[in-house]
Amino acid sequence: MTQTLPISWWDRAWHVAAYAALIAATGSAAVLLVTGNLDTGRSLWPDPNDFQVVGVWRMAAVLAHTAGSGVGHVCAVLAGLLAARWTRLKAGRTGVVTALGAGAGLGLVDLVSASWTATPLLRELASSPALMNSDGMVVIDPDLQHHGSVLAGMVLVFVAILIAAGLGFTVAHVRPLSKLVLILVSLALIPIAHFLVPVVLVSPSP
C-alpha cells in the first residue's frame, strides 16, 4: 500500500494561488481576445454572397466563443504539471483526476468568459446590414441551438484543454526525451484544435 504524507500549509496555499493565477490568465485572455477573433472570423469571407452570410456569422461565432483557448491550452499544461506536484505524495489515481479536474475548470472558465463577452457582439453582428441578404432581410438567428457547428467547436476546444492538462501531468512523470515529445505534441494541438479544426467544422456550413 502506498503511504500518503500530509501537505504543508505553505505548499497548499502556493498551489491554490498558482492555479488561481492560471484561471485569471485564461479568463482574461478569453475576454480580451473576443473582438480580435470576431474580426478574424469575418475576414475569412470578406465579400459573402447570400448563401454565405450564415457561414460568415458562424465562422465569427466559433472563433469568438472559443477566444483565449490557446492561452487556456498553455495554462492547462501548466495546471497538469502543478497537479503532478500537488499530488506527488498522494496515492492511487488522485493525480490524474486532479489534473483533469484542473483542465476542466480552465476549459469552463475559457468558454464561459468568451461566450459571455461574445454573445452581445454576435447578436449585434447578426442584425447588421453586412449579414443581411440582398433583399435586406435578417437571415441569422443568433441562438446557438441553431448552430451545431459552433457548439461542436466549443466542445472540441474543451476536450483539447482536458488533453493538454493530461499531457502536462504526464510530462512530470516521464523521461526527458518523452517530455520533449509530449511538449511538442501539446504545442501542435494549439493551432489544430483551437483554430484549424473549428474553421473546418464551420466552413462547409451554409
Side-chain angles (χ1 to χ4, degrees):
M1 178 181 294
T2 305
Q3 183 178 10
T4 62
L5 297 175
I7 299 175
S8 70
W9 177 89
W10 168 251
D11 274 349
R12 191 184 302 274
W14 184 87
H15 284 91
V16 170
Y19 184 64
L22 295 175
I23 288 284
T26 300
S28 299
V31 171
L32 292 173
L33 294 174
V34 164
T35 302
N37 280 24
L38 192 62
D39 292 339
T40 298
R42 295 178 65 187
S43 69
L44 296 178
W45 264 326
D47 187 23
N49 59 40
D50 287 355
F51 298 102
Q52 295 173 329
V53 290
V54 176
V56 169
W57 187 89
R58 286 177 176 169
M59 187 75 72
V62 73
L63 293 178
H65 278 288
T66 59
S69 55
V71 174
H73 181 113
V74 174
C75 287
V77 173
L78 296 176
L81 292 168
L82 190 66
R85 190 177 188 281
W86 168 265
T87 59
R88 69 192 186 281
L89 301 178
K90 293 183 178 291
R93 301 177 181 176
T94 304
V96 176
V97 173
T98 302
L100 293 178
L106 289 168
L108 288 174
V109 166
D110 176 62
L111 294 174
V112 169
S113 300
S115 296
W116 175 76
T117 308
T119 297
L121 298 176
L122 286 162
R123 288 188 178 278
E124 181 180 351
L125 176 61
S127 60
S128 69
L131 292 185
M132 292 181 180
N133 64 18
S134 56
D135 297 326
M137 300 293 293
V138 175
V139 296
I140 298 170
D141 183 343
D143 192 333
L144 288 187
Q145 70 181 15
H146 302 299
H147 303 280
S149 55
V150 179
L151 295 173
M154 295 170 70
V155 170
L156 174 71
V157 163
F158 181 80
V159 171
I161 289 176
L162 280 183
I163 293 172
L167 284 173
F169 179 81
T170 305
V171 162
H173 295 90
V174 297
R175 296 177 179 179
L177 180 58
S178 298
K179 288 181 190 287
L180 177 61
V181 171
L182 287 171
I183 290 172
L184 291 176
V185 168
S186 179
L187 292 176
L189 275 175
I190 295 176
I192 293 173
H194 305 293
F195 182 76
L196 296 178
V197 174
V199 166
V200 170
L201 276 172
V202 178
S203 292
S205 301

